[in-house]
Amino acid sequence: MDLRTTYMGLPLKHPIIASASPLSEKLDNIKRMEDAGAAAVVMFSLFEEQIKHENAAIEHLITLGAESFAESLSYFPDFEDYETGPEEYLKLLQQAAEAVDIPVIGSLNGITNEGWVDTARMMQEAGASGIELNIYYIPANLYMTGRAVEQRYLDVLKAVKSSVSIPVALKLSPFFSAMGNMARQFDEAGADALVLFNRFYQPDLDLDKLNVKANLELSTPSEIRLPLLWIAVLFGRINASLAATRGVHSHIEVIKYLMAGADVVMTTSGMLKHGIGFLTTLVEGLRAWMEERQYESVRQMKGSMSQLNCLDPGAFERANYIKILESFEPDYA
């Protein structure tokens, strides 16, 4: 049985990838992910704010006391005495790339291209097999147009693509007004992969303390439906690889994503809930399901239930919306 797939030009032994999470903050965990069967690992995100903080700290240290003593003009601080997030990230990335045989993909999280170009280049030099751009942007400015938001994504993608030769994936929000058109634009702008979709961690209100609180809620299997829809629609229509992420808690979600057209399936919540060994469960579950139904390869499955190949392509569009509403029967009826 052939489980192999290709993701943004990277050959993988199977389609299950460990997506960005706090688990990859330790080298031992990355090794354990490989041992558990991960085909690739996306490292935790390096945030734009960390890059800006480091740049500001370095500038401050270099100029510290420069106007007080002439000898300080030749002073250059020992940055090893300071905790610099990006430096530590790049060090771990290099160690991981040298320690495992699977692709290690760096992750950048931000909203502008400031500082990203140099950092992306350094990730490549550290040994990253690819880079995932996680553009977390909430357009709260009431005067910002949808087109301006779209252009921000395109500008970041083009800036990073121009600075590196390794593949670049774009982790997307589902909130574009014309998702299909934006996917096409990202594809034409050079995205090697689209990751569908980002789970924005949104704030909640604490009614006792009367403040805004942040709490992390893990995904549920029902959350696969939105990315499943768009992967099925985009399959065969763009050149970029398609990665599914969200709601993967068993091999069933993996299979659905693959049959919709995903090249790879990523998991975070499942690992956070069940441990790194959950990766083994997903791979074994996929293999057993394929053997039971006599599938010979992942390639044979991929996209078999996409909009292009589905017997009822209208099921992905408005007609199915009406059909679902008409067929619903409440429990109290």
Side-chain angles (χ1 to χ4, degrees):
M1 179 180 299
D2 187 359
L3 298 184
R4 292 176 299 173
T5 189
T6 300
Y7 177 54
M8 56 180 181
L10 301 173
L12 303 180
K13 58 185 177 181
H14 60 71
I16 298 170
I17 292 179
S19 52
S21 79
L23 291 172
S24 59
E25 292 179 0
K26 295 182 179 180
L27 179 60
D28 285 347
N29 282 345
I30 297 174
K31 293 179 180 178
R32 289 174 59 202
M33 290 176 194
E34 180 183 38
D35 293 340
V41 172
V42 181
M43 286 188 60
F44 66 100
S45 290
L46 176 61
F47 287 82
E48 180 179 344
E49 289 79 0
Q50 291 174 283
I51 299 171
K52 290 181 178 179
H53 179 269
E54 180 185 68
N55 291 342
I58 290 174
E59 183 177 355
H60 171 71
L61 291 170
I62 292 175
T63 59
L64 189 65
E67 296 179 356
S68 302
F69 304 98
E71 60 267 24
S72 69
L73 293 175
S74 61
Y75 166 73
F76 197 82
D78 184 0
F79 295 124
E80 293 183 358
D81 294 337
Y82 299 85
E83 291 186 5
T84 52
E87 289 296 329
E88 291 300 314
Y89 186 98
L90 292 168
K91 180 180 178 181
L92 176 60
L93 173 58
Q94 182 174 6
Q95 291 173 338
E98 294 172 352
V100 300
D101 294 325
I102 58 176
V104 178
I105 299 169
S107 176
L108 281 169
N109 188 309
I111 59 174
T112 73
N113 56 20
E114 182 180 348
W116 284 35
V117 171
D118 291 339
T119 306
R121 189 180 298 117
M122 287 189 286
M123 283 186 175
Q124 175 174 295
E125 293 170 355
S129 298
I131 294 174
E132 182 177 280
L133 301 180
N134 188 342
I135 304 177
Y136 185 105
Y137 182 61
I138 304 296
N141 182 342
L142 302 187
Y143 294 96
M144 176 169 276
T145 65
R147 182 55 195 157
V149 174
E150 295 167 356
Q151 191 60 48
R152 177 168 294 193
Y153 277 74
L154 288 165
D155 289 345
V156 171
L157 171 63
K158 291 176 181 178
V160 175
K161 278 292 295 183
S162 67
S163 69
V164 297
S165 58
I166 56 178
V168 176
L170 191 59
K171 194 168 188 177
L172 294 178
S173 152
F175 301 131
F176 295 104
S177 59
M179 182 62 224
N181 179 267
M182 284 310 303
R184 180 187 60 78
Q185 290 191 59
F186 293 136
D187 187 41
E188 293 176 352
D192 297 284
L194 301 181
V195 184
L196 310 180
F197 284 113
N198 196 341
R199 288 186 79 234
F200 286 148
Y201 296 114
Q202 298 162 343
D204 195 2
L205 300 180
D206 188 321
L207 299 182
D208 294 322
K209 298 180 180 179
L210 297 181
N211 61 13
V212 178
K213 64 179 181 179
N215 43 330
L216 173 64
E217 293 186 2
L218 300 181
S219 70
T220 62
S222 64
E223 292 183 42
I224 75 167
R225 296 191 179 190
L226 183 60
L228 192 74
L229 164 66
W230 280 108
I231 288 170
V233 170
L234 295 175
F235 175 79
R237 293 188 167 102
I238 63 174
N239 294 318
S241 294
L242 295 171
T245 181
R246 191 184 284 193
V248 179
H249 289 267
S250 74
H251 66 280
I252 297 301
E253 290 79 52
V254 173
I255 294 162
K256 288 180 179 180
Y257 274 137
L258 292 175
M259 298 187 86
D263 295 288
V264 296
V265 179
M266 299 183 175
T267 180
T268 292
S269 292
M271 284 196 300
L272 293 175
K273 184 176 182 180
H274 303 291
I276 291 174
F278 177 65
L279 291 163
T280 304
T281 302
L282 291 181
V283 177
E284 291 179 349
L286 171 62
R287 188 189 305 274
W289 190 92
M290 291 175 63
E291 287 178 349
E292 181 180 346
R293 288 158 179 79
Q294 299 182 343
Y295 280 96
E296 296 180 357
S297 68
V298 164
R299 177 175 296 181
Q300 181 185 358
M301 294 171 57
K302 190 172 70 174
S304 59
M305 294 189 68
S306 66
Q307 189 181 38
L308 279 180
N309 296 320
C310 185
L311 294 176
D312 180 16
F316 293 100
E317 299 176 357
R318 181 174 174 83
N320 197 53
Y321 171 78
I322 299 172
K323 188 183 299 183
I324 290 173
L325 292 180
E326 289 179 341
S327 65
F328 177 75
E329 294 183 3
D331 293 337
Y332 58 81

